[in-house]
Amino acid sequence: MRQTVDERHQAILLLVEERGPFRLSALAHELGISPVTLRRDIESLASLGRLERARGMVSAAPQSPTGSGLSGDTGPVVGMIMPQAPHYFGAIIEGARLGVTAAGGRLVLGISSHPFNRGTDQIKRMVDAGAEGLLLTPSLSSDRLDHDFDPSWFGVPVVLVERRAARGSRASALDSVCTDHRSGAALAVRHLIDLGHRSVALIAPTSPTAAQVELGYRDALDLLGLERPGLDTLVLHEGAMRLATVEAAADRLAEAVTCGQVSAALVVSDTEAITIVQALRSRHRQIKVPEDLALVAYDDEVAALCNLPLTAVALPKLQVGRTAAQLLLQRTRERSTSLDPNPAQHLDLVPHLRIRASTHAPQL
């Protein structure tokens, strides 16, 4: 499909932001456009201060310093408020930054440990200082917003990130962009079942993500006509990981494997999965992964770095952040014109499975 000039400019900026300086010839090849077209686009972007050129290379222009307000020089300012969970949200924040800066705007980040029905002062300050739209992830024990969350509080377009509004609630009128954790969990279970496992355990902390993973885990077992193993979901912790509870879960898992209750497990997340593998090696050496226990991690931030590289469900975090930013920028443009806004969108991005050394067919 033929790209518009704006679409080409956005593609150029995203590539340079993500991957650093490019030779012009390599960038033209990557984008599938002619060198003549690329040079024309580069000249246009450089004249706007968006790119820099030097000796056949093109790179992102440095961010200009700003004052005490949030107003940017060339584009919209987007406020983003996230919970205190940097491990999970780091890549989402980076994706949002890439989406906003590709449009010539600026992303301003705030951290909140409160649901927004009790913590709106921070949002009000951000909007009063010039934020034209908000990317919000309320701190909640589940990923669903209740009926007390009112979109009219904000006065600017809002996109929820990794949070869904309960159907029929006032917040359901908001756009949202989420990872489809139910599908991600089902991918893992389907992989283990296809290998021949019939007893798959779930090991997870208490979190909004884990709640959705458990639903997907149950969906997959029901769809495949399998019973849950005689082992309740092993709850690791709530909040920060605690080594003692993870090791206790490893002990319980080892017991279930030894007595034939379980032959495979899905573990949320990578850090917990790696810790369980280590605990099994040090405390239950008779149990081998993947010979006696096939194991899938859920996240894939560091799963490949385990001494035994772990099969993992890879989450589309960068894409969640970028998609949310692009949707919000669309809403800000709609608001500045006389056009009627498009219907609200509830977008779910599906994870994918990366198969490594920790999953194997069960031994006979």
Side-chain angles (χ1 to χ4, degrees), residues 75-93:
V77 175
V78 170
M80 185 176 199
I81 299 185
M82 296 282 108
Q84 295 173 316
H87 172 74
Y88 185 89
F89 284 100
I92 292 175
I93 294 167

PDB file of all heavy atoms in Angstrom, residues 75-93:
ATOM      1  N   GLY A  75       5.120  20.040  19.078  1.00  0.00           N
ATOM      2  CA  GLY A  75       4.039  19.072  19.026  1.00  0.00           C
ATOM      3  C   GLY A  75       3.341  18.920  20.357  1.00  0.00           C
ATOM      4  O   GLY A  75       3.619  19.640  21.325  1.00  0.00           O
ATOM      5  N   PRO A  76       2.425  17.961  20.425  1.00  0.00           N
ATOM      6  CA  PRO A  76       1.607  17.797  21.633  1.00  0.00           C
ATOM      7  C   PRO A  76       2.404  17.273  22.817  1.00  0.00           C
ATOM      8  O   PRO A  76       3.401  16.579  22.670  1.00  0.00           O
ATOM      9  CB  PRO A  76       0.552  16.770  21.193  1.00  0.00           C
ATOM     10  CG  PRO A  76       1.231  16.000  20.103  1.00  0.00           C
ATOM     11  CD  PRO A  76       2.105  16.982  19.389  1.00  0.00           C
ATOM     12  N   VAL A  77       1.926  17.616  23.997  1.00  0.00           N
ATOM     13  CA  VAL A  77       2.471  17.083  25.242  1.00  0.00           C
ATOM     14  C   VAL A  77       1.500  16.042  25.780  1.00  0.00           C
ATOM     15  O   VAL A  77       0.302  16.303  25.911  1.00  0.00           O
ATOM     16  CB  VAL A  77       2.683  18.199  26.281  1.00  0.00           C
ATOM     17  CG1 VAL A  77       3.149  17.606  27.615  1.00  0.00           C
ATOM     18  CG2 VAL A  77       3.703  19.214  25.777  1.00  0.00           C
ATOM     19  N   VAL A  78       2.009  14.864  26.061  1.00  0.00           N
ATOM     20  CA  VAL A  78       1.196  13.759  26.562  1.00  0.00           C
ATOM     21  C   VAL A  78       1.648  13.416  27.978  1.00  0.00           C
ATOM     22  O   VAL A  78       2.837  13.213  28.226  1.00  0.00           O
ATOM     23  CB  VAL A  78       1.323  12.519  25.649  1.00  0.00           C
ATOM     24  CG1 VAL A  78       0.687  11.291  26.298  1.00  0.00           C
ATOM     25  CG2 VAL A  78       0.686  12.796  24.295  1.00  0.00           C
ATOM     26  N   GLY A  79       0.706  13.373  28.899  1.00  0.00           N
ATOM     27  CA  GLY A  79       1.000  12.946  30.263  1.00  0.00           C
ATOM     28  C   GLY A  79       0.763  11.449  30.402  1.00  0.00           C
ATOM     29  O   GLY A  79      -0.193  10.907  29.851  1.00  0.00           O
ATOM     30  N   MET A  80       1.639  10.797  31.135  1.00  0.00           N
ATOM     31  CA  MET A  80       1.515   9.345  31.348  1.00  0.00           C
ATOM     32  C   MET A  80       1.715   9.066  32.828  1.00  0.00           C
ATOM     33  O   MET A  80       2.746   9.437  33.405  1.00  0.00           O
ATOM     34  CB  MET A  80       2.565   8.601  30.525  1.00  0.00           C
ATOM     35  CG  MET A  80       2.446   7.087  30.581  1.00  0.00           C
ATOM     36  SD  MET A  80       3.670   6.302  29.472  1.00  0.00           S
ATOM     37  CE  MET A  80       2.950   4.662  29.296  1.00  0.00           C
ATOM     38  N   ILE A  81       0.730   8.429  33.462  1.00  0.00           N
ATOM     39  CA  ILE A  81       0.831   8.110  34.884  1.00  0.00           C
ATOM     40  C   ILE A  81       0.723   6.604  35.055  1.00  0.00           C
ATOM     41  O   ILE A  81      -0.260   5.982  34.644  1.00  0.00           O
ATOM     42  CB  ILE A  81      -0.239   8.845  35.707  1.00  0.00           C
ATOM     43  CG1 ILE A  81      -0.047  10.361  35.549  1.00  0.00           C
ATOM     44  CG2 ILE A  81      -0.136   8.458  37.171  1.00  0.00           C
ATOM     45  CD1 ILE A  81      -0.965  11.198  36.397  1.00  0.00           C
ATOM     46  N   MET A  82       1.764   6.032  35.652  1.00  0.00           N
ATOM     47  CA  MET A  82       1.922   4.594  35.789  1.00  0.00           C
ATOM     48  C   MET A  82       2.019   4.207  37.261  1.00  0.00           C
ATOM     49  O   MET A  82       2.379   5.029  38.113  1.00  0.00           O
ATOM     50  CB  MET A  82       3.212   4.141  35.090  1.00  0.00           C
ATOM     51  CG  MET A  82       3.235   4.347  33.588  1.00  0.00           C
ATOM     52  SD  MET A  82       2.289   3.093  32.697  1.00  0.00           S
ATOM     53  CE  MET A  82       0.873   4.069  32.171  1.00  0.00           C
ATOM     54  N   PRO A  83       1.754   2.939  37.592  1.00  0.00           N
ATOM     55  CA  PRO A  83       1.965   2.471  38.962  1.00  0.00           C
ATOM     56  C   PRO A  83       3.458   2.307  39.257  1.00  0.00           C
ATOM     57  O   PRO A  83       4.303   2.421  38.374  1.00  0.00           O
ATOM     58  CB  PRO A  83       1.266   1.097  38.983  1.00  0.00           C
ATOM     59  CG  PRO A  83       0.536   0.975  37.706  1.00  0.00           C
ATOM     60  CD  PRO A  83       1.197   1.894  36.738  1.00  0.00           C
ATOM     61  N   GLN A  84       3.746   1.999  40.499  1.00  0.00           N
ATOM     62  CA  GLN A  84       5.130   1.758  40.915  1.00  0.00           C
ATOM     63  C   GLN A  84       5.513   0.312  40.570  1.00  0.00           C
ATOM     64  O   GLN A  84       5.633  -0.539  41.437  1.00  0.00           O
ATOM     65  CB  GLN A  84       5.289   2.010  42.414  1.00  0.00           C
ATOM     66  CG  GLN A  84       5.061   3.466  42.797  1.00  0.00           C
ATOM     67  CD  GLN A  84       5.063   3.679  44.300  1.00  0.00           C
ATOM     68  OE1 GLN A  84       4.485   2.925  45.058  1.00  0.00           O
ATOM     69  NE2 GLN A  84       5.730   4.737  44.732  1.00  0.00           N
ATOM     70  N   ALA A  85       5.713   0.048  39.294  1.00  0.00           N
ATOM     71  CA  ALA A  85       6.065  -1.295  38.825  1.00  0.00           C
ATOM     72  C   ALA A  85       7.001  -1.156  37.633  1.00  0.00           C
ATOM     73  O   ALA A  85       6.656  -1.509  36.509  1.00  0.00           O
ATOM     74  CB  ALA A  85       4.812  -2.086  38.451  1.00  0.00           C
ATOM     75  N   PRO A  86       8.216  -0.624  37.851  1.00  0.00           N
ATOM     76  CA  PRO A  86       9.097  -0.300  36.722  1.00  0.00           C
ATOM     77  C   PRO A  86       9.501  -1.517  35.903  1.00  0.00           C
ATOM     78  O   PRO A  86       9.715  -1.410  34.698  1.00  0.00           O
ATOM     79  CB  PRO A  86      10.315   0.344  37.403  1.00  0.00           C
ATOM     80  CG  PRO A  86      10.272  -0.147  38.811  1.00  0.00           C
ATOM     81  CD  PRO A  86       8.832  -0.287  39.142  1.00  0.00           C
ATOM     82  N   HIS A  87       9.584  -2.701  36.523  1.00  0.00           N
ATOM     83  CA  HIS A  87      10.002  -3.879  35.765  1.00  0.00           C
ATOM     84  C   HIS A  87       8.997  -4.189  34.666  1.00  0.00           C
ATOM     85  O   HIS A  87       9.366  -4.450  33.524  1.00  0.00           O
ATOM     86  CB  HIS A  87      10.158  -5.089  36.691  1.00  0.00           C
ATOM     87  CG  HIS A  87      10.388  -6.365  35.951  1.00  0.00           C
ATOM     88  ND1 HIS A  87      11.597  -6.649  35.362  1.00  0.00           N
ATOM     89  CD2 HIS A  87       9.572  -7.422  35.675  1.00  0.00           C
ATOM     90  CE1 HIS A  87      11.518  -7.835  34.755  1.00  0.00           C
ATOM     91  NE2 HIS A  87      10.300  -8.317  34.925  1.00  0.00           N
ATOM     92  N   TYR A  88       7.718  -4.133  35.003  1.00  0.00           N
ATOM     93  CA  TYR A  88       6.702  -4.463  34.000  1.00  0.00           C
ATOM     94  C   TYR A  88       6.495  -3.315  33.022  1.00  0.00           C
ATOM     95  O   TYR A  88       6.368  -3.531  31.810  1.00  0.00           O
ATOM     96  CB  TYR A  88       5.370  -4.798  34.679  1.00  0.00           C
ATOM     97  CG  TYR A  88       4.325  -5.259  33.689  1.00  0.00           C
ATOM     98  CD1 TYR A  88       4.208  -6.604  33.360  1.00  0.00           C
ATOM     99  CD2 TYR A  88       3.482  -4.351  33.055  1.00  0.00           C
ATOM    100  CE1 TYR A  88       3.272  -7.033  32.421  1.00  0.00           C
ATOM    101  CE2 TYR A  88       2.556  -4.769  32.124  1.00  0.00           C
ATOM    102  CZ  TYR A  88       2.454  -6.110  31.813  1.00  0.00           C
ATOM    103  OH  TYR A  88       1.545  -6.521  30.872  1.00  0.00           O
ATOM    104  N   PHE A  89       6.465  -2.080  33.501  1.00  0.00           N
ATOM    105  CA  PHE A  89       6.019  -0.969  32.672  1.00  0.00           C
ATOM    106  C   PHE A  89       7.143  -0.244  31.940  1.00  0.00           C
ATOM    107  O   PHE A  89       6.864   0.647  31.138  1.00  0.00           O
ATOM    108  CB  PHE A  89       5.232   0.030  33.524  1.00  0.00           C
ATOM    109  CG  PHE A  89       3.844  -0.446  33.848  1.00  0.00           C
ATOM    110  CD1 PHE A  89       3.563  -1.007  35.081  1.00  0.00           C
ATOM    111  CD2 PHE A  89       2.830  -0.365  32.914  1.00  0.00           C
ATOM    112  CE1 PHE A  89       2.293  -1.473  35.380  1.00  0.00           C
ATOM    113  CE2 PHE A  89       1.555  -0.819  33.197  1.00  0.00           C
ATOM    114  CZ  PHE A  89       1.283  -1.382  34.428  1.00  0.00           C
ATOM    115  N   GLY A  90       8.406  -0.613  32.186  1.00  0.00           N
ATOM    116  CA  GLY A  90       9.499   0.103  31.533  1.00  0.00           C
ATOM    117  C   GLY A  90       9.393   0.113  30.018  1.00  0.00           C
ATOM    118  O   GLY A  90       9.511   1.161  29.367  1.00  0.00           O
ATOM    119  N   ALA A  91       9.166  -1.064  29.412  1.00  0.00           N
ATOM    120  CA  ALA A  91       9.080  -1.144  27.948  1.00  0.00           C
ATOM    121  C   ALA A  91       7.812  -0.462  27.430  1.00  0.00           C
ATOM    122  O   ALA A  91       7.810   0.089  26.324  1.00  0.00           O
ATOM    123  CB  ALA A  91       9.126  -2.600  27.496  1.00  0.00           C
ATOM    124  N   ILE A  92       6.734  -0.495  28.208  1.00  0.00           N
ATOM    125  CA  ILE A  92       5.499   0.188  27.799  1.00  0.00           C
ATOM    126  C   ILE A  92       5.727   1.699  27.757  1.00  0.00           C
ATOM    127  O   ILE A  92       5.311   2.385  26.819  1.00  0.00           O
ATOM    128  CB  ILE A  92       4.353  -0.173  28.755  1.00  0.00           C
ATOM    129  CG1 ILE A  92       3.985  -1.651  28.596  1.00  0.00           C
ATOM    130  CG2 ILE A  92       3.131   0.715  28.517  1.00  0.00           C
ATOM    131  CD1 ILE A  92       2.944  -2.148  29.570  1.00  0.00           C
ATOM    132  N   ILE A  93       6.411   2.220  28.767  1.00  0.00           N
ATOM    133  CA  ILE A  93       6.731   3.647  28.794  1.00  0.00           C
ATOM    134  C   ILE A  93       7.600   4.017  27.597  1.00  0.00           C
ATOM    135  O   ILE A  93       7.374   5.037  26.936  1.00  0.00           O
ATOM    136  CB  ILE A  93       7.430   4.012  30.119  1.00  0.00           C
ATOM    137  CG1 ILE A  93       6.454   3.839  31.290  1.00  0.00           C
ATOM    138  CG2 ILE A  93       7.983   5.433  30.082  1.00  0.00           C
ATOM    139  CD1 ILE A  93       7.114   3.867  32.653  1.00  0.00           C
TER     140      ILE A  93
END
